[in-house]
Amino acid sequence: MSAVSDIKSVAVPAQEMQKQKEYTQLVRAIVEQRFTDAPKAFVHTYGCQGNVSDGERLKGMLEEMGYLMTDELEGADLVLYNTCAIREHAEDRVFGNVGALKAMKNANREMKILLCGCMMQQEWVVEKIKKSYPFVDIVFGTHVIHRLPEFLYYNLRGGKKIREYPECDGVIAEELPVHRDSDFKAWIPIMYGCNNFCAYCIVPYVRGRERSRDPKVIIDEAKQLISQGYKEITLLGQNVNSYGKHPDYGMNFAALLRELNSIEGDFIIRFMTSHPKDCTFELLDTMAECKKVAKHLHLPFQSGSNRVLGEMNRRYTREKYLELLNYAYKVMPELSVTSDVIVGFPGETYEEFKETVTLVEEAKFTSMYTFIFSSREGTKASKMPDPVSREEKGRWFRELLDAQEKIAAKRTASMVGKTYRVLCESVSKNGFIEGRTEGNIIIEFPADKSVIGSFREVTVTESLTWILRGELN
Ligand code: SAH
Ligand code: SF4
Ligand code: F3S
């Protein structure tokens, strides 16, 4: 594990970034020569917001190289899948989708297929690609995304296949171009990697060690976005509560939040994910004090059983978790808490699972992401005996969903008649405008499209269990 004082050396050197800018121009020249109209790039990102944020940088780089982004796979000149390795299902989908590209590649040999992201940081995955999907042009891991221009250049010039996924504690590449998917909601990664090694989790293996971005860079990025009219900024990291562990930074996460809160303008700050072991009363007090910080806390608990939490290496107890929540609800009565939970961790018994259900009943989550344990190669949990069948785990999973559904329904029902400030986001499938409350609850209401991208006051008229329906004030 890197010593804290080494963290600065993780910055990609300026000469390296300069070299990539030169490759960008070389690719651009090739592209302009080969295509009469700008070639189309289809970029699809799987997984968490951190990966989505990487995806925006990959698109930014491709645009600088002369590509035009498209939402249509059909007819694309370049297909890039930015993958996720968190669960087997996520990986299976990628393998399926890559397999389906073979016919497209056969019909158009000039089409380029690129794979990157967390899956591609694993040796066994790259071996499988080499063996079963040799038609893939470029495979690159999470630590070298800034080298996309170089990879593309060598492939476009001489058809060189690239498989590049160096073992590394991780880097920070600043000043990459960003193609933001939205013009009113923005992601700002504040840290990368993870040091926690929860027994089930692949992230520390594929994302390297925890490293924080310089607060000055983060604050400047936020100021710039707000001056461009962005209304919501979401700070990203696998464990934002441990932000800032660097001798030169002098700013922990709570202090960073206060700095961002003091920026002039009408906007809202969100963040994810918080780890209970590092979530402090200071942070909760700061959330309560800071008007622009959304009263929403995503605080994954994973299990309600202390024995299972210990096996998971989560380093907190059920009691500590509930104490944090009680304090949070005390200082922010309107707080909305969401969480993640794993059902069927190896060796979990039904009685232990029931402790998860009782925790859910006590915690009063607004919503919850529930996952059935998925064994990840190389993690500690993958070597633990796992006697409970998938069917049995499926039954537990549904039991948990039923418990949470009742709680969510009660919560949304208690919101009927009240008015909330909502950031209007999109048109829903049924033609309503869809937005989110500060607590991150979706609300739909009839309105004109012109409200999208602005804050509006909306009164809740109906509860639909997980979401709300309302009307504009
Ligand atoms: N850093 C975050 C979680 C990131 S992964 C945290 O510590 O809370 C998002 C969620 O995926 C996790 O909270 C966990 O609930 C789930 N998850 C991770 N690995 C998993 C696995 N092997 N099987 C099932 N769910 C998993
Ligand atoms: Fe995975 Fe745990 Fe790190 Fe979250 S804190 S990314 S669950 S290892
Ligand atoms: Fe998936 Fe990687 Fe995020 S494994 S959840 S994309 S950090």
Side-chain angles (χ1 to χ4, degrees):
M1 217 173 278
S2 323
V4 169
S5 55
D6 284 345
I7 289 182
K8 262 227 159 124
S9 64
V10 300
V12 176
Q15 308 95 286
E16 172 64 29
M17 296 305 283
Q18 181 55 34
K19 204 167 92 189
Q20 295 305 324
K21 283 203 180 114
E22 286 157 22
Y23 281 121
T24 299
Q25 292 316 317
L26 290 172
V27 172
R28 208 181 166 99
I30 296 180
V31 158
E32 279 168 6
Q33 193 200 356
R34 280 196 201 166
F35 296 90
T36 33
D37 297 326
K40 294 196 276 296
F42 175 86
V43 177
H44 186 75
T45 294
Y46 301 81
C48 63
Q49 267 65 16
N51 223 29
V52 170
S53 168
D54 280 354
E56 292 188 334
R57 282 169 175 77
L58 293 159
K59 288 185 202 170
M61 285 187 268
L62 286 167
E63 269 176 353
E64 284 207 339
M65 289 185 271
Y67 286 85
L68 202 70
M69 296 305 118
T70 173
D71 294 331
E72 306 275 326
L73 178 59
E74 209 60 45
D77 300 287
L78 181 151
V79 176
L80 170 58
Y81 288 142
N82 181 24
T83 63
C84 168
I86 203 80
R87 282 169 292 273
E88 194 178 354
H89 176 68
E91 293 192 331
D92 287 347
R93 269 202 342 218
V94 169
F95 285 125
N97 288 346
V98 174
L101 293 178
K102 191 173 181 185
M104 271 178 79
K105 180 88 175 174
N106 283 341
N108 173 12
R109 303 302 304 172
E110 295 307 314
M111 183 185 83
K112 298 295 178 192
I113 302 176
L114 287 72
L115 304 176
C116 67
C118 294
M119 268 175 87
M120 304 305 146
Q121 195 58 45
Q122 301 175 96
E123 175 98 39
W124 73 267
V125 172
V126 182
E127 288 306 316
K128 180 164 170 172
I129 303 278
K130 281 187 198 157
K131 201 165 143 258
S132 309
Y133 310 91
F135 55 87
V136 171
D137 295 281
I138 300 176
V139 174
F140 58 117
T142 57
H143 303 308
V144 289
I145 70 166
H146 58 283
R147 288 173 58 199
L148 171 61
E150 174 187 344
F151 302 146
L152 200 50
Y153 171 69
Y154 286 108
N155 182 270
L156 282 172
R157 204 189 60 169
K160 186 173 172 220
K161 297 261 185 223
I162 299 198
R163 277 87 180 95
E164 186 79 13
Y165 55 106
E167 276 259 348
C168 166
D169 277 351
V171 298
I172 296 184
E174 291 296 358
E175 292 180 35
L176 289 174
V178 191
H179 164 108
R180 302 222 178 246
D181 293 333
S182 160
D183 53 12
F184 59 90
K185 284 170 63 148
W187 314 110
I188 302 188
I190 62 166
M191 59 204 299
Y192 302 102
C194 183
N195 285 352
N196 291 318
F197 290 93
C198 300
Y200 49 81
C201 185
I202 195 72
V203 172
Y205 302 90
V206 293
R207 285 277 169 180
R209 295 294 61 74
E210 179 183 296
R211 51 213 186 267
S212 296
R213 289 177 79 197
D214 187 331
K216 286 196 282 304
V217 176
I218 297 170
I219 293 163
D220 283 350
E221 192 169 329
K223 281 186 179 156
Q224 200 191 351
L225 289 165
I226 292 155
S227 71
Q228 288 167 2
Y230 278 84
K231 295 283 180 263
E232 180 184 285
I233 302 255
T234 304
L235 309 175
L236 299 175
Q238 292 298 351
N239 178 10
V240 290
N241 307 123
S242 81
Y243 171 79
K245 290 196 176 131
H246 187 287
D248 296 346
Y249 290 172
M251 204 181 276
N252 68 7
F253 184 57
L256 178 69
L257 276 184
R258 283 194 293 270
E259 285 290 324
L260 295 170
N261 184 65
S262 69
I263 300 174
E264 290 277 310
D266 186 19
F267 64 95
I268 188 169
I269 304 164
R270 298 186 183 278
F271 58 88
M272 65 194 297
T273 295
S274 291
H275 192 305
K277 88 175 163 61
D278 297 307
C279 182
T280 57
F281 288 175
E282 183 205 5
L283 173 72
L284 300 171
D285 288 336
T286 305
M287 282 180 76
E289 273 161 37
C290 292
K291 285 221 156 50
K292 290 172 187 166
V293 174
K295 302 302 172 265
H296 169 222
L297 181 65
H298 183 61
L299 193 66
F301 74 101
Q302 313 298 3
S303 166
S305 147
N306 284 336
R307 192 198 67 82
V308 176
L309 285 172
E311 291 290 301
M312 286 177 164
N313 191 28
R314 289 290 289 180
R315 285 173 279 172
Y316 54 84
T317 58
R318 172 193 179 100
E319 291 73 27
K320 159 94 193 295
Y321 185 86
L322 287 171
E323 185 191 325
L324 273 175
L325 278 198
N326 283 336
Y327 186 80
Y329 284 130
K330 192 176 98 195
V331 294
M332 293 172 280
E334 280 285 313
L335 181 72
S336 153
V337 184
T338 55
S339 201
D340 293 349
V341 51
I342 297 178
V343 171
F345 183 79
E348 182 176 58
T349 63
Y350 183 66
E351 288 66 39
E352 287 166 339
F353 161 73
K354 279 298 225 184
E355 293 186 69
T356 289
V357 178
T358 57
L359 188 143
V360 164
E361 285 161 355
E362 277 184 57
K364 311 263 179 293
F365 299 121
T366 330
S367 65
M368 215 168 59
Y369 297 91
T370 311
F371 307 104
I372 292 184
F373 169 76
S374 169
S375 182
R376 307 286 60 216
E377 190 164 313
T379 62
K380 202 165 160 220
S382 69
K383 296 173 201 86
M384 296 177 177
D386 189 7
V388 177
S389 70
R390 186 85 191 178
E391 291 67 40
E392 184 67 14
K393 290 183 186 182
R395 280 192 288 275
W396 299 2
F397 181 84
R398 281 184 296 279
E399 190 176 330
L400 186 60
L401 288 192
D402 287 346
Q404 177 57 30
E405 187 169 340
K406 289 196 192 85
I407 293 157
K410 229 172 157 178
R411 163 141 202 148
T412 46
S414 77
M415 296 172 82
V416 174
K418 294 190 186 153
T419 301
Y420 294 88
R421 195 163 99 112
V422 167
L423 179 58
C424 308
E425 294 187 358
S426 55
V427 181
S428 71
K429 280 193 206 93
N430 46 11
F432 288 105
I433 294 295
E434 209 171 74
R436 274 167 207 271
T437 66
E438 228 189 273
N440 215 26
I441 303 173
I442 295 176
I443 178 158
E444 53 177 38
F445 48 93
D448 186 76
K449 275 211 299 261
S450 59
V451 300
I452 292 176
S454 64
F455 289 110
R456 295 292 158 127
E457 300 282 317
V458 181
T459 300
V460 180
T461 52
E462 199 182 337
S463 140
L464 308 170
T465 306
W466 301 107
I467 73 164
L468 303 164
R469 191 163 288 166
E471 56 192 27
L472 269 183
N473 273 25

